[in-house]
Amino acid sequence: MIVGAAMTAVVIAAGIATAVSGGDPGSPKAFGSQPASTAGADASAATPPPGAASGTGTDSAPSPTVTKTTAPKDMKWGLDYSDTLTFDKPDELATALDDAKRLGMDYIRVDFGWEDYQSFANFPPDFGKFDNVVAAANARNLKVLATIDFPPPWARRDTCKDTSACPPADNALFAKFVKQAVARYSARGVHYWEVWNEPNIVAWAPLPDPVDYTKLLVTVSAAIRAADPHAYILMGGLAADHPSPGAPFITPYDFITAVAKAGGLKAVDAVAYHPYPDGDPASSKTFQAISQSPTSIITALNQAGAPNMPIWITETGANIPALIFNQPDQVKPQEANQVHLAQREAEVLASYPNVASFFWFSYQDVPSAHLVFGLRRGDGTYRPSFDALQQIIADAKKSQ
């Protein structure tokens, strides 16, 4: 889906800035339909899994070797699709979710932007596109985690109307929309909701504001629980670092502390976090910020009186920066490194207290937005990381 030029610029700048380190793309969603090709990608670097769509390029490659991962007994595994599934054709949707099932995923994470469902104030929401996603997920026994965000232009604040990241002008009106959606989808088995995405960076326009965000969080959470007493609510996934040099950023510790002080933690069942590694996950400051640093998420939760609150990793992954910087000779080595990082991320997260989930970002590259973190390349061919992640999840579930 195409959104305002300002948000598109943020995504592109973030993708370039974090490409070398493999850090957080800082992207609230993936924009546009899935492209047909990826410049510089080597289409023969991986073979599609048995029974999967072949895409283009079928040269074989050795299966990646990964070591066995031990994960907590209740670790939840998920795949992030951003805002693409809603706009997929039926065969594309089926293939995408068949892949999630083949990987061993328990959940899919999808954006649920208000702007996608109610373009005009005087017309009721049209949920037809999301109905298809939920029906397809249910048919495969995949749970849906929906990220609620992004008002339509008519419902945004005057100060930031040109960007989808603009908070609603009226939280109560936003909550009314959310209540309608939750009532509809709780009857169809959807009970997991994440309120906004990365509100600690400019995905909350024009500047991150934890107190302002808390007002929306409390109002929306009350609407969710009124519509579905069994709902599980996540505080919006926090970015681990600056989305680009000099961009606004509030650390997860500071943001959670401020939200707790404003009463926001009482409204949720879990916090969410996006620790893209800036090196090996064991030593990455983004991973250490979970529980291994003095100003960690665990520290913030302890200080807020919520030491046992679950931490959902609703995005993590590793990108292929050679595709951004037109370095075709580096693509294969970086794809091999993506396999290694997937293994290390799973190992490190499994060792951390409170961590309840591992969601991989993302299913497929969107090169036009400089989002090249996919298990599939932009042309649809599978990376070695697909088979690697499948094995990681299988091994982890065997050990549970």
Side-chain angles (χ1 to χ4, degrees):
M1 184 183 69
I2 302 299
V3 298
M7 180 53 61
T8 303
V10 167
V11 173
I12 292 175
I16 294 174
T18 61
V20 175
S21 68
D24 187 345
S27 170
K29 59 170 69 179
F31 303 103
S33 59
Q34 310 254 4
S37 63
T38 303
D42 184 340
S44 65
T47 304
S54 61
T56 62
T58 57
D59 293 350
S60 62
S63 297
T65 300
V66 295
T67 57
K68 191 171 183 179
T69 298
T70 301
K73 184 176 182 180
D74 59 349
M75 177 69 86
K76 302 164 183 65
W77 300 90
L79 185 57
D80 194 305
Y81 291 87
S82 297
D83 199 27
T84 58
L85 293 181
T86 304
F87 301 95
D88 277 351
K89 297 175 182 177
D91 59 333
E92 294 171 334
L93 176 61
T95 296
L97 296 191
D98 283 347
D99 277 349
K101 193 67 179 177
R102 186 176 296 110
L103 284 162
M105 296 298 181
D106 307 303
Y107 292 75
I108 60 170
R109 180 177 182 252
V110 294
D111 274 12
F112 191 81
W114 185 8
E115 65 182 355
D116 290 345
Y117 304 100
Q118 193 174 12
S119 299
F120 303 99
N122 55 341
F123 286 91
D126 180 359
F127 294 115
K129 295 189 296 290
F130 201 68
D131 288 351
N132 297 334
V133 175
V134 171
N138 286 342
R140 294 161 177 81
N141 294 315
L142 292 165
K143 296 183 179 69
V144 175
L145 169 60
T147 303
I148 308 165
D149 52 19
F150 299 165
W154 61 265
R156 300 172 190 165
R157 298 177 185 177
D158 290 336
T159 54
C160 50
K161 276 187 177 294
D162 292 336
T163 172
S164 290
C166 187
D170 183 344
N171 287 343
L173 191 61
F174 187 31
K176 179 181 178 181
F177 163 79
V178 171
K179 187 174 181 180
Q180 288 178 277
V182 173
R184 182 183 188 89
Y185 292 113
S186 64
R188 305 180 189 205
V190 178
H191 301 287
Y192 295 86
W193 302 90
E194 189 173 349
V195 183
W196 214 264
N197 185 68
E198 300 186 344
N200 63 323
I201 59 173
V202 288
W204 183 274
L207 295 171
D209 184 335
V211 174
D212 192 26
Y213 168 74
T214 299
K215 293 176 182 177
L216 178 138
L217 178 65
V218 170
T219 301
V220 169
S221 293
I224 293 172
R225 296 201 192 282
D228 179 12
H230 303 292
Y232 192 93
I233 303 174
L234 282 71
M235 179 176 151
L238 299 177
D241 206 344
H242 297 75
S244 59
F249 170 68
I250 299 175
T251 69
Y253 170 85
D254 288 334
F255 199 88
I256 291 171
T257 298
V259 168
K261 186 176 180 180
L265 283 189
K266 296 177 182 178
V268 300
D269 299 292
V271 297
Y273 180 54
H274 300 165
Y276 294 85
D278 54 11
D280 182 82
S283 57
S284 168
K285 66 179 181 180
T286 61
F287 274 63
Q288 291 181 342
I290 297 173
S291 64
Q292 306 300 308
S293 73
T295 54
S296 68
I297 293 174
I298 290 291
T299 301
L301 293 175
N302 285 338
Q303 293 173 347
N308 298 316
M309 179 166 281
I311 301 169
W312 280 50
I313 306 303
T314 53
E315 286 184 29
T316 192
N319 69 352
I320 311 297
L323 296 177
I324 297 173
F325 296 109
N326 194 23
Q327 300 168 324
D329 61 320
Q330 294 300 310
V331 171
K332 278 192 175 182
Q334 289 176 8
E335 290 187 340
N337 187 55
Q338 187 185 53
V339 170
H340 171 71
L341 284 175
Q343 174 66 34
R344 292 293 295 134
E345 289 175 52
E347 289 173 347
V348 173
L349 290 173
S351 71
Y352 282 174
N354 294 43
V355 169
S357 74
F358 180 115
F359 279 68
W360 181 267
F361 183 94
S362 61
Y363 173 59
Q364 185 170 351
D365 289 356
V366 184
S368 61
H370 289 225
L371 296 176
V372 287
F373 295 73
L375 300 174
R376 280 187 180 222
R377 306 178 184 89
D379 64 6
T381 54
Y382 293 83
R383 287 201 170 101
S385 53
F386 188 103
D387 286 335
L389 192 55
Q390 181 184 46
Q391 184 177 334
I392 289 167
I393 295 171
D395 287 344
K397 288 187 173 184
K398 286 177 185 176
S399 68
Q400 291 177 355

